[in-house]
Each structure stands twice: as C-alpha cells, then as structure tokens.
C-alpha cells in the first residue's frame, strides 16, 4: 500500500483535476466520443505508472480481434490489474466490476470516463439487466474487461476458479472471449516498497463463438481458466 499512498499524495492536484474532468464528461457524455474519453483515461494511467515507478510488459497484442466487440477475461491479483490491461489495450475498452467497488472514490470517476459498469451481486434482477446491457454493447462493438474469479485475496500468481456466470455477457453476445494473464500485478500496490516494479499482461488467443457454441457456461469457464493457468505457467518462467 505504500506505493499507492505515495501516488495519491504526490498526485493530489491531478486527482482534483481528474474528478472535475469526470464531472465534465458526465455532463457532456452524449457529445464526447469514447475514443476521446479513453485517451484521457490512459493519460491518467500513464501518470500513475510514472509516479509509481511501475512498468508493464505487454505481450500478444496481435491476438486481439481486429474488428468488433469482445470480452477479455483475466485473472485477478489486485488494484493494478485493470490499469495494466488498459495500458496495453490501444482501442477503447472498459470494465465490468462489482458495484460496491465501482462506488469507491476515484474508481467511480474513472468508470465514468471509460463508461464502465458496476454489477450488483446482491440483486439478481439488476444483475441480469446489467449483463444483458453489457451483451448488447459488446454486440455493438464495445470491448469489456471482466475478472471471473470475483474478488482477490492475496492470491499473487495463483489462480482461483472462474465463476461460470461471468461468461454470460460474452455468450449472450456470441462474441469472442479473450483470455488474459496478468503476472506480478499484485506487486505495485501490495508490496510496501517504492522500488521500481515490473508486471506483465499477456493477451492469449481468442476463443470464438464457433469454438464454444453448444458448451455450458461451466465448460467455458473451465476452458478459459485452464488457458489462463497455462499462460501463467509459460510466461512466469520468463519473469
């Protein structure tokens, strides 16, 4: 947490500016393009990385589908995971995350800018409505990041089971599923040090609708989980 608090302290003027910008974007959302807003978000992430002495190696950009919407499913290690993925993803993408976390300070403003969504796990009706909305957006060409492990609990480079329900937004849209591996992503905000730290983001080969058509959500979750584990084992050796 030391690095996180350091970034917050040295970035106070930027944080106030960021909050104001998010308000402006909320007001003028209908006339501002997603590409413009995404550029603002990435500029903020680059400042975080520079001030926090964090670098991220990105592997497999060529595996991302060239056209259309898709959902990226990544293992979850900590607060830096989405930062690393967005840093490595050139075209606009956004996040589907737990609604409680989406209401936290700064995260709320960040989700406003990238037009992300919070999932209310306590209300099935709202949960289904959100998943259907995300599926519609993916079908229309948007890209989402989902963490199918749910939360994270000091799992570091270990990977827990993936929740089958997390794959509904991709299967309903009949969209490509892109497995993503984050490596050492827990280090930036969990290790109490200000020394330079490096993480990895690996975009694996996509899993197209034709590949998973006819499978259950449980089967899809297991296959994607196994691919992420395999990717972790492969690229962790090179760290």
């Amino acid at each position: 947490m030391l690095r996180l608090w350091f970034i917050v302290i040295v970035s106070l003027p930027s944080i106030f500016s960021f909050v104001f910008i998010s308000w402006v974007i909320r007001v003028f959302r209908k006339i501002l393009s997603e590409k413009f807003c995404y550029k603002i978000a990435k500029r903020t992430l680059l400042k975080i990385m520079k001030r926090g002495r964090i670098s991220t190696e990105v592997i497999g950009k060529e595996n991302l589908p060239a056209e259309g919407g898709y959902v990226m499913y990544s293992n979850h290690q900590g607060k830096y995971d989405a930062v690393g993925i967005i840093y490595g993803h050139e075209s606009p993408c956004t996040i589907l995350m737990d609604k409680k976390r989406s209401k936290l300070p700064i995260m709320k403003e960040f989700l406003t800018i990238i037009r992300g969504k919070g999932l209310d796990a306590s209300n099935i009706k709202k949960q289904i409505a959100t998943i259907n909305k995300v599926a519609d957006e993916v079908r229309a060409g948007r890209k989402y990041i989902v963490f199918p492990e749910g939360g994270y609990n000091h799992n570091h480079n270990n990977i827990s089971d993936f929740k089958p329900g997390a794959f509904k937004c991709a299967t309903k849209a009949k969209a490509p599923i892109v497995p993503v591996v984050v490596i050492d992503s827990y280090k930036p905000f969990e290790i109490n040090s200000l020394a330079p730290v490096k993480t990895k983001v690996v975009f694996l080969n996509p899993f197209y609708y034709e590949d998973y058509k006819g499978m259950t959500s449980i089967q899809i979750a297991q296959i994607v989980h196994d691919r992420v584990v395999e990717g972790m084992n492969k690229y962790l050796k090179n760290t």
Side-chain angles (χ1 to χ4, degrees):
M1 293 295 288
L2 178 61
R3 193 187 311 269
L4 179 58
W5 283 113
F6 174 78
I7 292 172
V8 169
I9 291 170
V10 301
S11 303
L12 280 176
S14 297
I15 290 173
F16 290 127
S17 174
F18 184 71
V19 171
F20 175 73
I21 289 171
S22 72
W23 176 82
V24 172
I25 287 176
R26 187 183 295 113
V27 173
F28 297 98
R29 184 170 183 167
K30 292 183 179 180
I31 62 174
L32 295 175
S33 70
E34 185 176 15
K35 187 175 182 180
F36 172 80
C37 295
Y38 191 68
K39 188 179 294 184
I40 291 175
K42 289 198 74 168
R43 191 183 303 156
T44 301
L45 298 186
L46 288 171
K47 288 180 181 178
I48 290 173
M49 294 172 68
K50 183 177 181 179
R51 291 169 182 171
R53 307 178 76 188
I54 307 165
S55 63
T56 296
E57 179 184 0
V58 182
I59 301 169
K61 282 186 181 182
E62 68 279 4
N63 292 327
L64 294 171
E67 298 180 356
Y70 49 84
V71 185
M72 294 170 275
Y73 288 93
S74 171
N75 59 306
H76 205 7
Q77 297 190 0
K79 296 178 178 65
Y80 183 78
D81 299 344
V83 175
I85 295 171
I86 291 174
Y87 165 76
H89 198 276
E90 293 179 6
S91 61
C93 66
T94 190
I95 311 169
L96 174 64
M97 65 183 300
D98 178 72
K99 190 172 183 178
K100 288 183 179 179
R101 291 183 180 274
S102 72
K103 297 296 183 181
L104 294 173
I106 306 303
M107 179 54 72
K108 180 180 178 181
E109 285 73 25
F110 187 73
L111 281 184
T112 294
I113 292 176
I114 63 171
R115 304 179 188 183
K117 286 184 173 54
L119 188 69
D120 189 352
S122 65
N123 188 312
I124 297 298
K125 189 175 181 179
K126 289 183 179 180
Q127 189 174 354
I128 292 173
T130 300
I131 289 173
N132 288 338
K133 178 63 176 174
V134 170
D136 288 341
E137 291 184 4
V138 171
R139 199 178 293 115
R142 294 199 78 202
K143 288 88 171 166
Y144 267 86
I145 302 167
V146 176
F147 297 103
E149 288 174 284
Y152 52 87
N153 187 26
H154 307 293
N155 55 356
H156 295 181
N157 286 323
N158 298 312
I159 301 173
S160 303
D161 293 337
F162 285 1
K163 299 181 186 302
F167 293 83
K168 291 293 185 181
C169 47
T171 57
K172 282 178 176 289
K174 299 181 180 180
I177 291 170
V178 180
V180 181
V181 187
V182 293
I183 298 174
D184 292 337
S185 192
Y186 67 94
K187 289 182 177 180
F189 299 142
E190 190 168 321
I191 294 176
N192 284 320
S193 170
L194 294 178
V197 64
K198 182 178 180 179
T199 76
K200 282 185 181 180
V201 170
V202 185
F203 297 109
L204 301 175
N205 288 320
F207 197 34
Y208 290 96
Y209 175 67
E210 291 73 20
D211 300 321
Y212 64 77
K213 182 172 61 176
M215 293 184 183
T216 65
S217 295
I218 294 174
Q219 291 173 320
I220 294 170
Q222 189 61 57
I223 290 173
V224 177
H225 172 273
D226 292 347
R227 289 190 180 185
V228 172
V229 170
E230 183 181 351
M232 171 71 76
N233 293 333
K234 176 182 178 180
Y235 290 97
L236 190 58
K237 294 176 182 178
N238 300 324
T239 301

